[in-house]
Amino acid sequence: MQKEFLMGNAAIALGAIAAGVNVVAGYPGTPSTEVLETVAAHRPEQVYVEWSVNEKAAMELAAGASYTGANTLVTMKQVGLNVASDPLMSLAYLGIEGGMVVMVADDPGPISSQTEQDTRQFSIFSKLPCFDPSSVQEAYEMIQEAFATSRKYKTPVFFRPTTRICHAYSSVEVKDPSEYLTNEPSGFVKDSSRWVIFPRLSLANHKKIEERNEQLTAVFSEYRRNAFTEGASGLRIGVAAGGIGYAYAMEALATLPEEKRPSVLKVATPFPFPEELAVKFLESVDRVLVVEELDPVIERALLLITGKYHLKTEILGKMTHTLPYAGEYTADLVKTAMEGFVGAAATGEASGNAASAGASASVGTSASAGTSAAPEALALPVRPPVLCAGCPHRASFYAVKQAMKGKKTIFCGDIGCYTLGNAEPLDMCDTCLCMGAGISIAQGVWHVEPDTYCFAFVGDSTFFASAITEIVNAVYNQASLTVVILDNSTTAMTGHQPHPGTGKTMMGEVVAKVSIEGILKGIGLEFVETVDPLDQKASVDVIKRASEAPGVKAVIFKSPCVAIVKSGEPCNIDAERCIGCKKCIREIGCPAIYTEGKEVMIDRSLCTGCGLCTGLCPVQAISHGKGGAAL
Amino acid sequence: MTDIQNKMMENAPAAAGIQKNLVLCGVGGQGTVLASKLIAAAAMEKGLQVMSAETIGMAQRGGNVFSNIRIGEGLYAPMIRKGEADLILGFEPGETVRMLPFLKKGGAVVTNLKAVKPTTASLSGSDYCGEQMVDYLKQVIPEDKLYLVDGEKLCAELGSTRCLNVVLLGAAVRTGEIGLTEEDVLAAIKRIVPARFLELNEKAFAAAK
């Protein structure tokens, strides 16, 4: 044993290595990304790691590897599970031979996601067991137990941390490499009665799955991470909690005098629910406060059990509006709710609503919670996320905007840094739904409004992940739209992961680049042109021609992400020449350009010297720094 | 007694069961993450339990970012409750003000003076500037608990815009509110910062008086 200061995701990765993982696959997505990256960085011999093109591919690859007896880990964020749900739902019926842990990170808030969906619900839906860690240390140990459970029952299992576990850091006791388990895959054994899914097999396995899960409710009641701790004697109130909610609840309890501390039911396996343990807990209390982020999963399970066993215990939580459904919970919110709950018990108030103090407490991330501090007169700046200074996407959006001025257009966005193109003053993202959706949404609009110039913007990694079939669909169904591929040679938003177009794999191999242009031409597009967006004149020209050409057209704006290349010399503003019209700020909204009084300035620590601003100044007051490229 | 326990006994915060709660805040890209890692590494080296949390993902792109660092015993969660931070280390004065609700009564504030004006403020013609924020801090924080650092000037003297985080970290450590000595944190800098940047960072650490 040794102690290390680890990010939650790193602890999960080291736990998987300690459990003898053989194959790790995933697709980047906040807050899950660092798990796979950490395995790759620490990779022992015989462990294969890859960034797959999307979550579905990762899930299927892991399934195949697990058929051979390998231990596999699949990593993704919660919305990635939607993409991978097709193979997973069927795999749940077939099971596996080795161990398979599906690590899905949920994002209450949401801080960096489209939805606040709860993977514990997916676990119930798919009938697969779910492990839900409440701390970084527990995550390290629990993923090893998840592997053991998966191997024992020959089924994939979910491991579901949330942002405050994934991205928290903690001192963690970790095993020495000599204590790691190893796994030698036994090899794939042909058996079509096991690996080929047919209705008859599904029916037979469905019965087995229900039996197994019933058995697991008993097994999990004995699992040490599900725990019932009795509170102060004579006090018939309890708190049930899981995930980071448990951590907040325990911190709130620590502030109470001992004689006021409620009993605690810690739920580490929200499915199958530890029923026998929960019954013991519920029989010992008259009233329960449930603390859990996202959906009321523990709350519903407790309500079901009170019904099944005819218990009179009152359950307070989201469904009683004692705590909110939406948004991230804060330590403050939980403390307020706890004080209301314990206070109501002390004064003998019978109504459940007496504990609803927490409902009025504000929900939000810590970053936004503090705005009430300053007096109203002191306006704190709003800081929406923006495209970086020098980001080539800004130049791409600006070129399309210039080219299509005055025309009836729709600009369908997608998932990635370029979603930020929606911000003023660019305002170049009219829709955004999910990975790859922009192309088919543009197609849908075009079929109804064929007089609209329909554009779909898609990044290079998203193109490979889920845009190709959409483009095929648009071509096949005779749509007219322009696909704009923003190729910055990386997966930027999640921290610069390689993808098929980069010519590198997660194992560090240099491989042939998969050509976006080649794919588009292969699909049958006649108009495919590649241009550097920083060459605005050429870019505007290409977009004008593309928009007027028939059918499905593609323009590839190719320029690397500024975070992966060395910056050029910053641009300069000639204060003598500058007339203070602020066109540079109004038109492109670059964070490196700001005003101080009436003067327009360039922040030299931010400017990368891309020079987009130089071309639009009406009096040519902005010049490239020395060595800057003149266009 | 083990070495770790010995170290803990020597250290006041752990021995007394005291927690230290620190909030670092600023704007994405200012380097709050490295500063929090250095504090955590220094505390770990002393055998103390550490938890932290920080902003990662979309908000990093020019948004307001924070780190919570908690040192001591009896920790369950990495997040700090309002009114419980011993110290706020602000990389930007408006962000320092934003985080004030987390400061405990009698807590200390170390802030950089230079404002980062977001594009939205420049677009709307807002007069947001650092002075307003610093004036407000002077009103609400007692003089002996408020430490103002001209990070821009100090970085210019050091010849690098990239060492603001270590300049501010030095100032924060010297308040004595973190419970770590300068030697503790300098040792962590030596371990973590690449050798070619070490000299610059050692100078930066000592820059703020």
Side-chain angles (χ1 to χ4, degrees):
Chain A
M1 281 285 177
Q2 48 192 352
K3 223 163 204 196
E4 283 188 45
F5 189 60
L6 295 174
M7 183 196 262
N9 279 343
I12 293 165
L14 295 183
I17 292 174
V21 74
N22 302 105
V23 171
V24 185
Y27 187 76
T30 310
S32 71
T33 312
E34 298 83 0
V35 174
L36 189 144
E37 290 177 328
T38 307
V39 178
H42 287 76
R43 182 166 58 86
E45 292 282 307
Q46 312 300 325
V47 177
Y48 173 77
V49 186
E50 77 164 41
W51 281 128
S52 306
V53 291
N54 59 31
E55 294 86 353
K56 181 175 184 290
M59 188 74 76
E60 290 155 351
L61 175 145
S66 287
Y67 290 174
T68 72
N71 283 339
T72 63
L73 174 68
V74 199
T75 74
M76 65 196 67
K77 68 184 297 177
Q78 88 285 39
V79 287
L81 181 59
N82 301 337
V83 177
S85 62
D86 194 5
L88 184 69
M89 291 303 291
S90 298
L91 186 64
Y93 278 76
L94 291 189
I96 45 168
E97 179 58 33
M100 178 169 172
V101 176
V102 182
M103 201 291 305
V104 184
D106 282 352
D107 182 19
I111 297 171
S112 216
S113 304
Q114 303 99 292
T115 70
E116 279 201 296
Q117 67 191 68
D118 190 325
T119 298
R120 295 176 303 166
Q121 299 273 37
F122 223 117
S123 145
I124 297 168
F125 178 47
S126 62
K127 307 176 193 294
L128 296 173
C130 181
F131 292 80
D132 186 11
S134 64
S135 72
V136 174
Q137 177 74 51
E138 188 171 63
Y140 175 76
E141 294 163 16
M142 195 187 262
I143 191 150
Q144 299 176 52
E145 292 148 9
F147 270 106
T149 304
S150 172
R151 283 191 74 86
K152 182 168 181 189
Y153 295 93
K154 296 193 188 299
T155 178
V157 300
F158 277 112
F159 184 80
R160 184 218 64 145
T162 56
T163 306
R164 299 296 174 209
I165 304 293
C166 291
H167 285 167
Y169 282 79
S170 173
S171 337
V172 180
E173 292 262 358
V174 295
K175 289 180 176 171
D176 291 320
S178 61
E179 301 169 78
Y180 290 178
L181 299 178
T182 54
N183 175 50
E184 198 65 51
S186 46
F188 181 73
V189 178
K190 289 191 185 205
D191 181 356
S192 64
S193 71
R194 187 171 174 197
W195 303 124
V196 181
I197 195 161
F198 270 113
R200 206 174 58 174
L201 178 63
S202 298
L203 176 66
N205 283 359
H206 187 181
K207 290 175 187 162
K208 288 183 197 159
I209 288 165
E210 298 298 344
E211 283 164 16
R212 176 199 72 205
N213 284 348
E214 225 166 278
Q215 189 191 342
L216 278 176
T217 62
V219 171
F220 284 163
S221 284
E222 301 292 321
Y223 179 41
R224 68 189 172 103
R225 301 196 187 280
N226 290 318
F228 165 31
T229 314
E230 283 183 63
S233 69
L235 199 63
R236 290 186 59 85
I237 57 170
V239 172
I244 197 73
Y246 170 76
Y248 294 150
M250 292 307 284
E251 294 232 338
L253 283 186
T255 66
L256 296 172
E258 270 184 37
E259 70 276 10
K260 283 195 171 176
R261 289 192 192 160
S263 298
V264 177
L265 178 69
K266 174 172 178 279
V267 180
T269 56
F271 183 82
F273 202 79
E275 189 169 308
E276 289 82 344
L277 187 70
V279 169
K280 274 187 214 151
F281 167 73
L282 290 169
E283 281 175 344
S284 77
V285 292
D286 298 327
R287 203 166 349 142
V288 173
L289 177 69
V290 186
V291 181
E292 58 185 323
E293 289 181 310
L294 303 175
D295 291 343
V297 171
I298 296 172
E299 188 178 348
R300 281 202 195 108
L302 292 178
L303 280 168
L304 276 174
I305 293 167
T306 55
K308 183 172 167 187
Y309 292 83
H310 307 290
L311 302 173
K312 291 220 161 60
T313 316
E314 194 179 4
I315 311 291
L316 305 179
K318 295 164 197 276
M319 295 163 79
T320 52
H321 303 292
T322 309
L323 280 158
Y325 280 93
E328 185 192 3
Y329 282 13
T330 63
D332 288 293
L333 175 93
V334 173
K335 183 163 181 264
T336 308
M338 188 75 79
E339 283 164 357
F341 177 67
V342 172
T347 55
E349 287 178 60
S351 161
N353 290 330
S356 65
S360 57
S362 67
V363 182
T365 63
S366 301
S368 63
T371 42
S372 61
E376 298 268 319
L378 196 68
L380 287 175
V382 180
R383 299 186 193 276
V386 290
L387 293 171
C388 299
C391 175
H393 299 337
R394 178 176 290 104
S396 302
F397 284 128
Y398 192 62
V400 177
K401 193 172 184 175
Q402 292 305 103
M404 300 312 293
K405 223 172 221 171
K407 303 250 172 75
K408 187 183 177 193
T409 53
I410 183 165
F411 302 120
C412 299
D414 222 297
I415 306 291
C417 286
Y418 49 101
T419 315
L420 301 175
N422 78 318
E424 293 288 354
L426 287 171
D427 187 21
M428 285 294 288
C429 181
D430 296 323
T431 70
C432 179
L433 187 67
C434 68
M435 291 281 289
I439 292 150
S440 302
I441 287 177
Q443 191 195 338
V445 170
W446 182 80
H447 284 301
V448 182
E449 294 182 44
D451 61 336
T452 304
Y453 289 93
C454 297
F455 284 81
F457 292 89
V458 63
D460 42 350
S461 186
T462 307
F463 174 84
F464 289 111
S466 55
I468 298 169
T469 48
E470 278 76 359
I471 296 172
V472 172
N473 189 61
V475 170
Y476 166 55
N477 289 300
Q478 303 295 298
S480 174
L481 54 91
T482 306
V483 182
V484 179
I485 292 130
L486 303 168
D487 182 359
N488 59 2
S489 303
T490 189
T491 316
M493 181 59 105
T494 46
H496 305 102
Q497 290 74 31
H499 62 64
T502 62
K504 281 188 205 113
T505 70
M506 198 62 207
M507 300 284 276
E509 295 153 317
V510 176
V511 295
K513 293 181 185 179
V514 178
S515 159
I516 295 175
E517 202 164 310
I519 290 172
L520 293 168
K521 287 184 174 157
I523 291 172
L525 269 63
E526 282 171 16
F527 190 110
V528 180
E529 290 199 27
T530 301
V531 62
D532 178 353
L534 293 173
D535 184 346
Q536 282 286 296
K537 195 164 164 289
S539 298
V540 170
D541 175 63
V542 171
I543 292 295
K544 279 185 176 164
R545 285 188 290 112
S547 67
E548 297 300 344
V552 179
K553 298 85 56 167
V555 175
I556 303 167
F557 280 123
K558 197 166 172 61
S559 183
C561 172
V562 285
I564 57 169
V565 291
K566 202 173 175 326
S567 288
E569 279 289 313
C571 294
N572 300 304
I573 296 186
D574 182 343
E576 299 280 302
R577 269 197 187 178
C578 175
I579 53 172
C581 71
K582 298 186 197 162
K583 186 181 177 195
C584 49
I585 294 173
R586 276 184 287 115
E587 293 277 303
I588 56 173
C590 173
I593 312 178
Y594 65 103
T595 53
E596 215 168 84
K598 291 221 156 108
E599 213 172 331
V600 180
M601 320 271 284
I602 287 182
D603 184 334
R604 295 181 64 83
S605 67
L606 289 178
C607 179
T608 67
C610 80
L612 178 62
C613 54
T614 62
L616 58 93
C617 177
V619 293
Q620 287 82 47
I622 315 178
S623 59
H624 278 282
K626 76 175 169 328
L631 295 168
Chain B
M1 222 184 277
T2 66
D3 280 359
I4 286 177
Q5 281 169 328
N6 271 323
K7 275 183 194 164
M8 283 166 68
M9 291 304 286
E10 286 162 23
N11 190 279
I18 295 170
Q19 291 177 5
K20 285 286 180 188
N21 294 311
L22 317 171
V23 172
L24 276 65
C25 57
V27 177
Q30 284 189 310
T32 52
V33 172
L34 178 64
S36 72
K37 281 219 174 91
L38 291 169
I39 294 171
M44 280 280 291
E45 188 65 19
K46 301 195 79 165
L48 298 166
Q49 178 76 17
V50 187
M51 281 192 181
S52 75
E54 58 209 21
T55 320
I56 295 176
M58 199 181 226
Q60 284 176 293
R61 306 278 186 266
N64 36 350
V65 297
F66 70 89
S67 293
N68 282 183
I69 308 168
R70 310 190 65 198
I71 305 168
E73 299 301 302
L75 303 173
Y76 282 94
M79 307 299 283
I80 297 170
R81 285 192 297 248
K82 284 180 188 162
E84 298 200 339
D86 297 276
L87 174 90
I88 293 178
L89 172 55
F91 285 49
E92 202 273 355
E95 295 313 314
T96 309
V97 171
R98 204 191 300 277
M99 285 296 165
L100 281 183
F102 287 91
L103 193 66
K104 74 173 188 196
K105 235 181 206 145
V109 171
V110 178
T111 188
N112 186 24
L113 295 176
K114 163 102 162 130
V116 178
K117 194 168 179 177
T119 312
T120 44
S122 285
L123 275 171
S124 66
S126 143
D127 62 347
Y128 171 70
C129 66
E131 286 83 11
Q132 298 163 340
M133 299 296 142
V134 173
D135 286 346
Y136 178 70
L137 287 169
K138 284 180 181 166
Q139 281 170 39
V140 296
I141 307 293
E143 205 179 334
D144 65 329
K145 290 288 179 186
L146 179 63
Y147 303 84
L148 303 173
V149 180
D150 191 343
E152 192 186 28
K153 183 168 150 249
L154 294 170
C155 285
E157 286 168 13
L158 291 160
S160 167
T161 54
R162 303 268 171 211
C163 55
L164 175 69
N165 50 5
V166 178
V167 169
L168 291 169
L169 177 62
V173 171
R174 282 188 287 280
T175 64
E177 303 278 350
I178 300 182
L180 298 168
T181 65
E182 291 188 59
E183 293 69 41
D184 295 336
V185 180
L186 274 168
I189 290 175
K190 279 204 183 92
R191 282 200 309 279
I192 290 173
V193 172
R196 64 185 188 282
F197 299 124
L198 187 58
E199 197 189 330
L200 173 67
N201 279 291
E202 283 173 340
K203 280 185 189 160
F205 187 76
K209 297 298 169 224

